[in-house]
Amino acid sequence: MPLEDFITHVYCLIDDWLKKLPVILRHRGFSPVFSDAEVLTLEVVAEFMGYEQDKQAWEYFRRHWLEWFPKLPSRSTYVRQAAHLWRVKQQLHADLCREMGVMGNGVHRVDGFPLKLCNFRRANHCRLFAGLAGYGYCASKDQHYYGFQAVLLVSGCGVVTGINVMAANHDEADGIWECLHGQTGLMPGDKGFIRPIHQAGLQAIGLNLQTPLRRNMQDDRPKEYVQELMRERRLVETVIGQLTERFHIQRIRARDRWHLTVRIFRKVLSHTVAVFLNRMLGNSSLQLVNLLV
């Protein structure tokens, strides 16, 4: 669809959802001149188009779409209003997931990826996130780094249903629990999630975590079954690739945990809205490049 239609679809989706929201967003003071639906629309569209920084997004819409958003406030006001809506974004994401029916029984793929603050050599000079970040190792790049790691849970159609960010020196298997919101079914993962205690705990709540085993471990499962598990994991790798390349989720442009969480979650929301619109238009869920012409 043309960019004009994309902005319109996003705005109508968010505005209709806000009108049905049973929670009062503000109990005191005046309503903002620039509506919450407009703020969320700008954030979702800007992230989808690759404008990851607040200044970039504000300047782009100020320069090209002021006729559509004539009440666009100053950049500082826009940034504050957007940041204060973090709970609203989480609720919108959860409602979209429920509407698409991706939170129940099915296949839920899990994987992790690094969020690097700096290389290993520069870690001693890094003053950001002191006491929160840690030293980690990225096996895919064979690289040690200082920062965080994210654990991502993805549904069968590519919708991000859960994400957890923790220090890079933590075991990524421990991050699964913060991603769960009542899902049941099969959960394919990689070798980093091999923890019998976690498999037993997940089994108790209806999730069957299956991973390929290490070379020194005996695997009695059929070879075809293990190969199918590996094929199932490719979807979460595709989603991580989209979040990295289009939404720049691995770029940490924050100085505290709260702002980092807000930045990461609005990228997840933008990806989820794009998948929702693709499904609504009858397109393949993850063909994001075909959403705009």
Side-chain angles (χ1 to χ4, degrees), residues 221-231:
R221 298 171 299 182
K223 184 177 180 180
E224 294 77 12
Y225 179 76
V226 178
Q227 291 175 344
E228 181 62 27
L229 285 177
M230 298 302 294
R231 284 193 290 268

Side-chain angles (χ1 to χ4, degrees), residues 53 68 82 100 106 158 160 183 215 221 244 258 261 269 290:
Q53 298 185 56
W68 282 42
M100 288 186 283
V160 178
Q183 296 95 327
R215 293 181 180 180
R221 298 171 299 182
T244 300
W258 185 78
T261 303
L269 175 61
N290 297 332

Side-chain angles (χ1 to χ4, degrees), residues 271-286:
H271 183 274
T272 304
V273 170
V275 173
F276 181 86
L277 292 178
N278 259 337
R279 288 164 60 94
M280 185 182 70
L281 297 172
N283 301 332
S284 178
S285 297
L286 294 180

Side-chain angles (χ1 to χ4, degrees), residues 95 190 219 257:
D95 288 349
D190 63 12
D219 195 346
R257 181 169 54 184

